[in-house]
Amino acid sequence: MRCMSKERHEALGLSDDQVLEMFKTMLLARKLDERMWLLNRAGKIPFVISCQGQEAAQVGASFALDRDKDYVAPYYRDMGVVLAFGMTATELMLSGFAKAEDPNSGGRQMPGHFGQKKNRILTGSSPVTTQVPHAVGVALAAKMEKKDFVSFVTLGEGSSNQGDFHEGLNFAGVHKLPVITMVENNKYAISVPIEKQIASKNVSDRAQGYGMPGITVDGNDPLAVYEAVKDARERAINGEGPTLIEAVSYRLTAHSSDDDDRQYRESDEVEEAKQKDSIITFAAYLKEVGILTEEVEKELNQEIGSIVNEATDYAENAPYADPEDALKYVYEE
């Protein structure tokens, strides 16, 4: 039975179909990620760096942006962002298998180094935080050309200690640029816990020094993140400058498939975090308001299962790049 009072998503201007699409995107990111871990353990793909636990922040933020105009500079965990912006499950699997058709790099880059011109996804690189000045540069172009788009950049809380973070946000604040910076605080910078990374209570406290608003939101709540990013985008488009958003969640997996997180955190801590998993809590909300019925949930799981299976089969059987293709785009060719 549908509740009579106005629901949270309706108050934010989101339709039933939109929030169901948000959940579908979150679930697709989770199922793709889980499949990639299985493929890695089977020796079929070399490396996985997970989005698990951070899908709500990624998808909630993306739905608050104009996905036909805005630019995104994602960091390596942002499978939810790039899926929301138009990258397909098959394209992500091609990247995982390092095949020639990988749209990010033609199989040259590690998985998680996203980049796709047609969907305005800025190419990322292995040194962390280098995407921040790039996103600020895109925002500068928007201001100079008087265009009504924003740039959106994400990073982990550990990356907020890098020089690129300071330089990028300082420049954005000085020039009031239309850039939104979202720190996905998952509590660990590889093996270093948050309390050994940052002296302030929140990463968002740093915004004051850059002359911009700083907001901390529940990263497990896609609607809270949606609202924060929507407000930040309105500020940016209205010429009021940048915003720093901290979305607090938890990294449910090890740092990567090459990491053993048992060396630095207790399993009880991970299990406790799993109780707040956004895939569970957002599904519960959608069920409570009558959107995610048993029939819809069954159809959704079947559809996503088929998408993941088809993406896996296609990517596994796709050709690798020719060895001489390693020379492409390096010199004149």
Side-chain angles (χ1 to χ4, degrees), residues 130-147:
T130 52
Q131 69 272 22
V132 174
H134 297 164
V136 171
V138 169
L140 177 63
K143 184 174 182 178
M144 291 173 68
E145 296 177 7
K146 296 181 171 57
K147 301 279 183 68

Side-chain angles (χ1 to χ4, degrees), residues 147-151 176-180 230-243:
K147 301 279 183 68
D148 63 342
F149 65 81
V150 307
S151 66
K176 294 194 179 303
L177 300 182
V179 57
I180 303 165
K230 182 182 179 183
D231 290 346
R233 189 180 190 279
E234 288 176 3
R235 288 189 70 256
I237 291 297
N238 291 335
E240 297 173 49
T243 304

Side-chain angles (χ1 to χ4, degrees), residues 6 8 27 30 43 55 61 77 80 109 113 129 132 148 152 180 197 200 209 241 252 261 265 277 313:
K6 195 170 187 180
R8 283 185 65 208
L27 192 58
R30 174 65 59 89
E55 297 95 341
R77 294 196 191 279
Q109 272 278 32
H113 291 58
T129 332
V132 174
D148 63 342
F152 175 71
I180 303 165
Q197 298 176 52
S200 59
L252 297 178
D261 61 333
R265 62 183 187 180
D277 182 356
D313 291 343

Side-chain angles (χ1 to χ4, degrees), residues 16 42 101 115 164 196 255 298 315:
D16 291 359
E101 293 177 69
D164 295 82
K196 292 186 178 179
H255 173 73
K298 182 180 178 181

Side-chain angles (χ1 to χ4, degrees), residues 45-319:
I45 66 175
F47 184 76
V48 184
I49 193 154
S50 279
C51 66
Q52 291 185 41
Q54 297 174 225
E55 297 95 341
Q58 295 169 6
V59 176
S62 298
F63 273 66
L65 299 168
D66 187 329
R67 288 175 283 162
D68 293 320
K69 292 195 299 187
D70 294 341
Y71 286 75
V72 291
Y75 92 124
Y76 48 77
R77 294 196 191 279
D78 275 330
M79 193 183 292
V81 172
V82 298
L83 281 170
F85 265 75
M87 197 172 283
T88 68
T90 298
E91 289 171 332
L92 287 165
M93 274 296 180
L94 285 163
S95 174
F97 278 95
K99 295 298 180 77
E101 293 177 69
D102 161 32
N104 301 287
S105 68
R108 291 173 178 79
Q109 272 278 32
M110 292 171 65
H113 291 58
F114 307 111
Q116 193 173 40
K117 186 175 181 180
K118 69 177 183 180
N119 285 315
R120 298 164 316 287
I121 300 169
L122 303 185
T123 299
S125 60
S126 292
V128 298
T129 332
T130 52
Q131 69 272 22
V132 174
H134 297 164
V136 171
V138 169
L140 177 63
K143 184 174 182 178
M144 291 173 68
E145 296 177 7
K146 296 181 171 57
K147 301 279 183 68
D148 63 342
F149 65 81
V150 307
S151 66
F152 175 71
V153 59
T154 60
L155 60 150
E157 83 288 346
S159 289
S160 72
N161 298 315
Q162 299 293 318
D164 295 82
F165 179 83
H166 167 74
E167 292 167 24
L169 269 69
N170 187 63
F171 190 90
V174 168
H175 298 282
K176 294 194 179 303
L177 300 182
V179 57
I180 303 165
T181 302
M182 186 173 82
V183 175
E184 297 181 32
N185 180 354
N186 66 15
K187 307 292 181 67
Y188 284 91
I190 308 183
S191 60
V192 183
I194 182 70
E195 62 270 16
K196 292 186 178 179
Q197 298 176 52
I198 297 165
S200 59
K201 181 180 178 182
N202 297 305
V203 176
S204 61
D205 294 340
R206 294 173 165 178
Q208 184 177 357
Y210 303 121
M212 66 182 73
I215 303 158
T216 296
V217 295
D218 180 359
N220 291 324
D221 183 348
L223 298 181
V225 179
Y226 173 89
E227 183 176 17
V229 175
K230 182 182 179 183
D231 290 346
R233 189 180 190 279
E234 288 176 3
R235 288 189 70 256
I237 291 297
N238 291 335
E240 297 173 49
T243 304
L244 173 62
I245 298 170
E246 176 187 17
V248 181
S249 58
Y250 191 85
R251 194 189 75 209
L252 297 178
T253 66
H255 173 73
S256 74
S257 53
D258 292 345
D259 173 45
D260 182 0
D261 61 333
R262 294 172 298 179
Q263 302 299 313
Y264 56 83
R265 62 183 187 180
E266 298 294 330
S267 59
D268 288 350
E269 178 184 311
V270 180
E271 289 305 313
E272 183 181 347
K274 286 181 178 178
Q275 305 307 310
K276 303 172 185 176
D277 182 356
S278 62
I279 300 293
I280 298 170
T281 57
F282 195 45
Y285 168 79
L286 295 177
K287 289 174 182 177
E288 180 186 337
V289 297
I291 296 172
L292 187 65
T293 63
E294 284 187 21
E295 183 179 355
V296 170
E297 187 173 25
K298 182 180 178 181
E299 290 174 358
L300 203 58
N301 280 302
Q302 288 176 341
E303 181 185 356
I304 288 173
S306 295
I307 291 170
V308 173
N309 287 338
E310 289 169 12
T312 304
D313 291 343
Y314 183 88
E316 187 169 7
N317 292 300

